[in-house]
Amino acid sequence: MWTEEIVAGRPAWRHIPSGVVFREVPGGAFRMGLSEAELDAVRAIERSGGVEDTIDPFLASATDAQPVREVRVESFLLARHPLTVAQVRYWLPEYEDDYAEADTGTARLEGDLEGLLELLPFDLPSEAQWEYAARAGTTTLTFHGDGKPDEGQLLDDFGDETRTAAGENAFGLVAMGSANELCADVWIPGFDGAPSDARPRTGDGPRSVRGGAADLYPWQGCDEWLLLLSATRYEHADFTAVRPAAPLPPH
């Protein structure tokens, strides 16, 4: 079912039937949520004239990603990038995508979403797993640092392996924050009472989403870069991308 190989100079696990490449995310602890230091970094971008519209709605919703707390994450597998149109067609052969320009582009699912989730032999990552993987050991706005993210950080098509490899973070993952990615957690504003491990929060209602800056490309100057931040979270409403997670295969 799985094979170990080297992808872009790093160890990887390939799911043999579908060809989806996963990275092993090492276990560890991290501070999950939107910290005061990160909020100060966003305000510094505003003071420097880097805000096109207004960050007031973002600041008003900051409590949706607070309080910051330490979370312990066990090792797990996470897909190197969101599922592409071609990869989704392994499970849904008739799948058509209204958003991707090529089969190597990120698939964004609407009506087919629940059908895909029923067929996938994988899990959705919890929000804790997703944010831990996006941060990849950093505590800054993105893994690139506290500078204002730009459109150069977007990656929405994985047909160019050179460009894909160049976009990897320290865990060998790419495009974290580009597409809106569905998580296993039900949407609950804020982290009061959230577990200190990486279990998803369950219940009825819409799921939580992370990322989405490429969904609005080309940017219209409404501070879409805020969707690239590791801590940005919101409620699922329309289409979404899927980046599957899985337990470590037995050696």
Side-chain angles (χ1 to χ4, degrees):
M1 187 67 71
W2 297 93
T3 183
E4 291 185 83
E5 57 186 78
I6 301 297
V7 175
R10 301 173 187 260
W13 290 90
R14 186 182 296 273
H15 181 246
I16 296 171
S18 65
V20 177
V21 172
F22 288 75
R23 298 291 194 190
E24 179 175 338
V25 178
F30 80 114
R31 299 284 291 171
M32 180 178 178
L34 187 62
S35 69
E36 289 304 318
E38 288 171 297
L39 286 170
D40 287 343
V42 171
R43 294 186 185 102
I45 292 170
E46 181 184 39
R47 289 195 299 271
S48 70
V51 171
E52 293 88 359
D53 189 8
T54 176
I55 61 171
D56 288 346
F58 174 80
L59 296 176
S61 66
T63 55
D64 285 345
Q66 294 174 334
V68 175
R69 71 198 197 287
E70 183 165 297
V71 177
R72 180 76 193 179
V73 181
E74 301 297 328
S75 299
F76 67 102
L77 295 184
L78 188 64
R80 187 187 184 206
H81 54 70
L83 293 179
T84 65
V85 172
Q87 289 169 341
V88 168
R89 285 182 181 147
Y90 173 78
W91 290 281
L92 299 174
E94 305 302 318
Y95 174 69
E96 296 294 334
D97 195 282
D98 295 330
Y99 303 97
E101 296 181 357
D103 289 354
T104 51
T106 298
R108 289 174 171 82
L109 295 112
E110 293 183 275
D112 293 314
L113 176 61
E114 292 305 321
L116 176 66
L117 295 180
E118 290 176 3
L119 292 170
L120 279 181
F122 312 120
D123 303 316
L124 290 171
S126 69
E127 283 199 78
Q129 288 176 321
W130 194 97
E131 186 174 324
Y132 178 73
R135 291 187 180 279
T138 66
T139 59
T140 47
L141 293 178
T142 71
F143 79 91
H144 291 281
D146 278 332
K148 178 184 175 182
D150 59 33
E151 293 179 7
Q153 290 180 225
L154 299 180
L155 189 58
D156 208 38
D157 188 288
F158 309 100
D160 183 339
E161 175 56 29
T162 299
R163 185 165 185 260
T164 301
E168 291 184 338
N169 67 15
F171 291 162
L173 303 165
V174 297
M176 302 292 291
S178 286
N180 59 352
E181 297 184 18
L182 196 66
C183 293
D185 301 62
V186 69
W187 168 254
I188 300 172
F191 293 135
D192 285 326
S196 59
D197 58 22
R199 288 174 297 162
R201 292 189 286 179
T202 59
D204 296 326
R207 292 187 178 94
S208 295
V209 171
R210 296 299 189 105
D215 299 331
L216 303 175
Y217 181 82
W219 288 355
Q220 302 298 306
C222 299
D223 298 298
E224 296 92 340
W225 55 272
L226 291 163
L227 291 168
L228 279 168
L229 307 192
S230 298
T232 298
R233 61 187 297 266
Y234 54 98
E235 180 179 345
H236 174 239
D238 299 308
F239 59 80
T240 186
V242 172
R243 184 193 299 256
L248 294 180
H251 285 274

